[in-house]
Amino acid sequence: MKQLLGVINLDHELDHLNELTYFRCGAAVPFASRYRLIDFVLSNMMRAELESVGLFVRRKYRSLMDHLGDGKSWDMNRKHGGLFILPPDWNDPTDTSLGDLQHFHNNLDFFKRASAKYIVHSGSQHINTIDFQELYSYHLEKGADVTLVYKKIDHLEPEHDPCLRLEVDEDGNVLNIHHEKNHPNIYMEMLIMEKELFLEQVEYCIAHGESYFFRDAIQKRRDKLKIAAYEYTGYHAVINSVASYYKNSMKLLNHDEYTDLFHDNQVQTKIKYEAPTRYLESANVSNSLVANGCIIAGTVENSVIFRGVQIRKGARVVNSVVMQKCVIEEDAVIENVILDKDVQLSRERILVGDSKRPFVIAKSSKM
Amino acid sequence: MKKKEMVAMLLAGGQGKRLKGLTKSIAKPAVYFGGTYRIIDFPLSNCTNSGIDTVGVLTQYEPLVLSSYIGIGSDWDLNRKNGGVFVLPPHEREDGSNWYRGTADAIYRNLKFVDQFDPEHVLILSGDHIYKMNYNAMLQYHLERKADCTISVIDVPLEEASRFGILNTEEDLKIYEFEEKPSKPKSTLASMGVYIFKWDVLRRALLDDGEESHSSHDFGKDIIPSLLSKGKAMYAYPFEGYWRDVGTVASLWEANMDLLSDNPPLNLNDPSWRIFTRNPNQPAQYVAPGAKVSGSLINEGCIVRGEVKHSVLFYGVEIGEGSVITDSVIMPKVKIGKNVRIHKAIISENTVIEDYMEIGTDRENEDEILLIDNRSKKRKSVPAKTI
């Protein structure tokens, strides 16, 4: 779909995942045994065959850059277009732009060079499997200036609190955008609009000393725009806290959730050349997701195990998330724990967190 | 082209008839192994890990899967500006068109390919063995002895020696005789089909052999004996690691089973010697509540609800509740229903096994490895025969 230009804007995403975001931005947090949060939006964009994708980053993006490389894993290493990682380095003394508008202003060339007529804007905290082509058709059909994507949530959870809500009429037009906590229509931080209109809005906002594209160009000026709403009904998870990270990781052990996320939607990630996982004679695994390259001799229950993890004989991993290359020695026990990458847990060590507030162990710790 | 010290030529044209249904539509080197690999991943990864960046892959039988699998070689880091991997099928020339008549003929017909890199040495490999080997260490050995040809050998039990090409050597491992499958072997040094030749020596020998009308154009039968008779300096290079010829259904099954012990003789988890492969990019494997998995190798994309014991599962395999899989190799995207019993079998790619099927549980011949694909699925509760 050469008509679409992808914009992934990480500017306003707060790194609220404590230990997991000490050294990386939220988009680079590992999720679902072998992915990082950014993989889901990038894979959606890949499936819709967008011409180019610009990724606006500001802080702690080293591990994100390492993960993305030249975009090959998402088929975005192209002669024309492909993946552009756009960090905020720019020193124009006359530049008066603020907030995420600064990104757009500083990278006008990225927008102008692309032949695509429409932009699709997204963050990385809402994990979903949206079909951008369908969104595009819907947008054209509605003849709207902007189409916003929302998900109607039956049971609101604490992680939905920071999300904006859309009030939508029967014809799918947005009546209001607000923060009322009990409203079920969660704005998924995804929108589609014509590129020219987008750039006009950016210019206007900068001229008026504004700083935040969505708030100032869309929310505040909603009377001046025809705003449509697109209801997304597939898999959806918001990852904006340790609690929501843990809860949604555990939810993937429910087979319906796993199927919703992965069935028919190939999610791409950086390739690691790991061997298949080896279960030793003493292994005892149930209700768990396990990536490749692991060697499992112990017990694993209700857990999410990333690539290259070693769980030795007698060790027990229960209700936990164990990231890449962790080693859990003989007879160690973890329960309700999130171990970040490369954690080594020595023999007979016991760590028990609370199911509501899991214990998080920072990257490369030796315990 | 920049001059290369050594170019590898990988013989991947064979059909591998003894692998039966597994090579019905793919060449032997493309056959699956070890839960995620194809056989050819081993020599290709050995090249990459040994610092050899120029590899010609000689194909003939059913090349499509193999050549699309190799692609531009990026999975093995062989997508290079100078060098890289090249798939070399037989081609028509001014003097006519011919299939490759033998292993030596395949190289003979690609002299121009090798010549463009002007290498000092050529490494000849075959695409049907499972092993991890540092070819660079072998090259150093070859250089130290100023050899014209170095042949990698493995010590085999005397009673098995007559299945191999056997090298008879002096004490310093200088070869004086080569016997192809001797009935009374004089030594236990079996050729692994890994040769390093000085390119100018091999080039001359290939040109002579190419003219020879009653030659079978084979390295073992023609080139090596002829070089020996000319008194060339030929040495055996002893290799001590794990090496398996996986040319038959039984040996392929055995080599898969070798990966399942608690300390397998072939370590696939060594970060300093990775085996690279085309990644199918599947979500993590899911082991359901009530499932039992032990002594097994399982790839991503599998969903296990039953019991898997001492078996190898490739990607995308689904195993239903109540099913028990033992001592088996299940190839990619096989769907196994509920309450199925499978024992000592290889189930080939994309096969669907219906609920309550029993395969290999009531066998007469314990040594036989059953090979099952979609055509043999109708057999219920009876041991399906090898096809």
Side-chain angles (χ1 to χ4, degrees):
Chain A
M1 186 73 71
K2 300 293 177 211
Q3 281 293 355
L4 301 181
L5 179 67
V7 172
I8 301 176
N9 184 1
L10 307 181
D11 202 71
H12 54 278
E13 293 186 352
L14 298 171
D15 302 333
H16 276 337
L17 270 68
N18 302 351
E19 286 87 345
L20 301 181
T21 46
Y22 280 175
F23 307 106
R24 54 168 91 88
C25 58
V29 167
F31 184 67
S33 266
R34 61 192 293 275
Y35 304 97
R36 293 185 185 247
L37 295 183
I38 191 83
D39 291 341
F40 297 89
V41 58
L42 276 178
S43 298
N44 291 345
M45 289 186 168
M46 173 187 159
R47 279 197 299 278
E49 295 175 19
L50 270 59
E51 180 193 279
S52 299
V53 174
L55 185 73
F56 294 98
V57 294
R58 194 179 293 274
R59 294 170 301 261
K60 295 192 275 195
Y61 52 82
R62 188 205 56 79
S63 71
L64 191 64
M65 304 256 291
D66 174 53
H67 178 69
L68 297 170
D70 63 353
K72 185 178 187 296
S73 301
W74 301 268
D75 205 12
M76 288 182 184
N77 55 338
R78 301 299 183 82
K79 287 260 186 273
H80 181 78
L83 181 68
F84 296 83
I85 301 167
L86 303 165
D89 180 37
W90 186 263
N91 291 299
D92 175 2
T94 65
D95 179 20
T96 57
S97 57
L98 300 162
D100 61 358
L101 294 166
Q102 197 175 27
H103 276 314
F104 303 141
H105 174 78
N106 294 350
N107 292 287
L108 283 178
D109 282 354
F110 165 74
F111 293 98
K112 289 187 170 154
R113 274 190 202 134
S115 56
K117 210 174 156 206
Y118 291 84
I119 69 146
V120 171
H121 178 287
S122 175
S124 74
Q125 291 178 329
H126 292 254
I127 310 291
N128 62 81
T129 59
I130 195 168
D131 179 345
F132 285 122
Q133 297 190 31
E134 203 184 292
L135 172 65
Y136 174 60
S137 312
Y138 179 85
H139 177 69
L140 293 184
E141 204 181 287
K142 292 291 289 180
D145 293 322
V146 188
T147 299
L148 308 180
V149 180
Y150 73 96
K151 167 98 182 174
K152 192 166 182 241
I153 308 277
D154 297 333
H155 303 286
L156 288 165
E157 304 268 347
E159 70 261 28
H160 297 117
D161 284 357
C163 300
L164 282 169
R165 318 292 154 130
L166 302 185
E167 235 162 73
V168 181
D169 71 11
E170 283 169 3
D171 302 324
N173 298 308
V174 172
L175 298 175
N176 204 352
I177 304 169
H178 56 63
H179 238 126
E180 285 173 23
K181 279 188 181 161
N182 295 324
H183 198 280
N185 294 346
I186 297 289
Y187 170 53
M188 285 168 57
E189 297 185 12
M190 282 179 159
L191 60 82
I192 180 167
M193 69 194 293
E194 225 171 295
K195 186 173 79 183
E196 283 310 314
L197 179 63
F198 170 78
L199 293 177
E200 266 172 40
Q201 298 289 321
V202 169
E203 299 259 313
Y204 177 89
C205 288
I206 293 171
H208 288 78
E210 312 278 26
S211 56
Y212 181 23
F213 175 77
F214 185 81
R215 186 191 65 199
D216 301 326
I218 309 288
Q219 194 177 359
K220 278 192 194 164
R221 306 185 74 212
R222 71 188 150 73
D223 300 336
K224 311 236 169 6
L225 298 164
K226 180 170 163 36
I227 306 179
Y230 172 86
E231 186 180 0
Y232 166 77
T233 53
Y235 175 93
H236 178 251
V238 189
I239 312 286
N240 55 7
S241 62
V242 170
S244 60
Y245 176 85
Y246 179 70
K247 185 174 64 190
N248 285 298
S249 295
M250 291 297 127
K251 267 186 163 177
L252 281 177
L253 300 175
N254 171 334
H255 200 251
D256 292 341
E257 294 259 340
Y258 175 88
T259 312
D260 278 353
L261 180 55
F262 294 116
H263 192 65
D264 298 332
N265 307 297
Q266 210 182 32
V267 185
Q268 306 288 328
T269 188
K270 181 181 177 182
I271 294 173
K272 298 278 164 72
Y273 295 89
E274 296 279 8
T277 279
R278 205 143 58 80
Y279 293 83
L280 272 50
E281 287 300 328
S282 53
N284 184 1
V285 179
S286 84
N287 198 35
S288 294
L289 280 181
V290 186
N292 270 354
C294 300
I295 300 176
I296 301 180
T299 298
V300 180
E301 278 170 39
N302 310 326
S303 293
V304 176
I305 312 293
F306 282 71
R307 293 187 276 203
V309 169
Q310 299 193 27
I311 299 170
R312 306 237 200 272
K313 230 175 171 169
R316 274 170 55 83
V317 174
V318 183
N319 303 332
S320 293
V321 175
V322 181
M323 291 189 196
Q324 222 175 305
K325 296 211 159 73
C326 287
V327 179
I328 298 170
E329 297 284 358
E330 277 98 345
D331 304 317
V333 177
I334 59 171
E335 196 172 332
N336 304 324
V337 170
I338 299 173
L339 299 185
D340 201 337
K341 282 172 71 174
D342 291 315
V343 171
Q344 295 196 19
L345 208 65
S346 56
R347 295 175 76 121
E348 295 173 28
R349 173 83 44 186
I350 296 174
L351 290 179
V352 180
D354 186 274
S355 63
K356 293 274 181 294
R357 294 198 59 178
F359 225 154
V360 184
I361 309 295
K363 194 173 155 183
S364 306
S365 312
K366 285 193 171 55
M367 313 222 24
Chain B
M1 283 288 177
K2 213 174 126 209
K3 184 176 169 64
K4 297 276 176 190
E5 187 174 28
M6 184 157 78
V7 166
M9 297 295 271
L10 205 167
L11 301 160
Q15 178 182 357
K17 282 201 187 90
R18 292 174 305 157
L19 284 171
K20 303 189 173 143
L22 291 173
T23 51
K24 207 175 137 277
S25 55
I26 56 172
K28 178 154 72 166
V31 167
Y32 289 106
F33 176 80
T36 190
Y37 309 99
R38 294 183 188 255
I39 298 170
I40 198 169
D41 289 331
F42 289 83
L44 283 179
S45 302
N46 287 342
C47 284
T48 301
N49 290 325
S50 304
I52 296 165
D53 62 8
T54 308
V55 184
V57 179
L58 300 134
T59 62
Q60 179 152 293
Y61 175 78
E62 288 287 352
L64 174 65
V65 169
L66 196 56
S67 54
S68 57
Y69 178 70
I70 293 170
I72 58 165
S74 46
D75 283 306
W76 301 268
D77 211 6
L78 289 170
N79 52 336
R80 301 300 182 86
K81 287 259 190 264
N82 178 30
V85 65
F86 298 80
V87 175
L88 305 168
H91 51 275
E92 193 177 14
R93 302 189 306 183
E94 199 185 18
D95 56 3
S97 51
N98 265 312
W99 295 109
Y100 293 147
R101 292 170 293 176
T103 49
D105 189 52
I107 309 291
Y108 171 64
R109 283 168 191 281
N110 289 286
L111 282 183
K112 280 186 220 155
F113 169 77
V114 182
D115 278 342
Q116 64 181 334
F117 299 103
D118 188 21
E120 284 298 311
H121 309 277
V122 169
L123 170 69
I124 310 289
L125 301 170
S126 50
D128 42 13
H129 301 139
I130 302 296
Y131 64 116
K132 300 199 294 185
M133 177 174 174
N134 188 339
Y135 303 135
N136 190 39
M138 179 173 169
L139 176 64
Q140 296 314 312
Y141 178 96
H142 173 78
L143 292 173
E144 276 161 25
R145 277 158 188 75
K146 298 191 171 58
D148 293 308
C149 169
T150 301
I151 300 176
S152 180
V153 293
I154 188 149
D155 212 3
V156 294
L158 186 63
E159 59 273 20
E160 282 180 33
S162 53
R163 286 173 41 211
F164 296 92
I166 295 296
L167 294 164
N168 300 320
T169 65
E170 320 273 2
E171 245 168 56
D172 64 351
L173 293 174
K174 189 169 194 291
I175 302 165
Y176 66 86
E177 192 182 20
F178 177 86
E179 292 182 290
E180 184 74 37
K181 298 181 182 155
S183 51
K184 285 198 180 113
K186 290 177 221 152
S187 97
T188 53
L189 295 182
S191 164
M192 292 164 57
V194 175
Y195 316 117
I196 293 177
F197 290 97
K198 268 192 185 154
W199 176 231
D200 56 356
V201 173
L202 178 62
R203 199 176 189 284
R204 185 72 255 155
L206 290 173
L207 287 170
D208 294 344
D209 179 74
E211 302 295 313
E212 197 63 61
S213 58
H214 28 254
S215 169
S216 52
H217 309 290
D218 186 82
F219 275 101
K221 292 192 191 96
D222 308 290
I223 301 290
I224 291 164
S226 134
L227 287 178
L228 270 174
S229 72
K230 288 183 182 135
K232 297 287 179 193
M234 300 176 77
Y235 284 88
Y237 173 73
F239 174 76
E240 280 172 356
Y242 179 88
W243 181 83
R244 282 289 179 282
D245 182 328
V246 287
T248 63
V249 173
S251 62
L252 182 74
W253 177 85
E254 273 164 28
N256 274 290
M257 293 300 119
D258 284 344
L259 301 170
L260 301 179
S261 63
D262 280 2
N263 287 302
L266 183 75
N267 180 5
L268 297 172
N269 298 87
D270 177 2
S272 68
W273 203 274
R274 275 188 202 285
I275 306 303
F276 302 99
T277 184
R278 177 68 66 93
N279 192 306
N281 199 19
Q282 297 273 315
Q285 58 198 256
Y286 175 64
V287 181
K292 272 190 191 161
V293 182
S294 70
S296 293
L297 201 59
I298 300 188
N299 198 359
E300 287 168 334
C302 291
I303 296 175
V304 181
R305 300 179 184 286
E307 188 176 344
V308 179
K309 242 177 116 179
H310 201 252
S311 294
V312 175
L313 266 56
F314 284 74
Y315 66 88
V317 171
E318 288 180 27
I319 294 177
E321 280 166 30
S323 292
V324 181
I325 316 296
T326 45
D327 298 344
S328 294
V329 178
I330 317 289
M331 289 190 173
K333 292 182 270 181
V334 169
K335 304 282 176 265
I336 294 173
K338 293 176 185 169
N339 301 307
V340 170
R341 295 275 179 288
I342 297 177
H343 179 62
K344 237 179 161 181
I346 297 178
I347 313 289
S348 80
E349 209 180 346
N350 285 317
T351 303
V352 178
I353 309 282
E354 315 273 349
D355 295 355
Y356 296 102
M357 287 270 294
E358 299 216 357
I359 292 167
T361 45
D362 185 23
R363 67 180 70 222
E364 293 145 31
N365 182 356
E366 255 299 315
D367 292 335
E368 188 186 31
I369 307 304
L370 301 177
L371 182 57
I372 305 295
D373 65 15
N374 270 330
R375 290 172 307 155
S376 43
K377 73 179 178 182
K378 291 206 174 61
R379 297 160 194 274
K380 248 187 191 178
S381 304
V382 289
K385 285 287 173 228
T386 308
I387 36 156

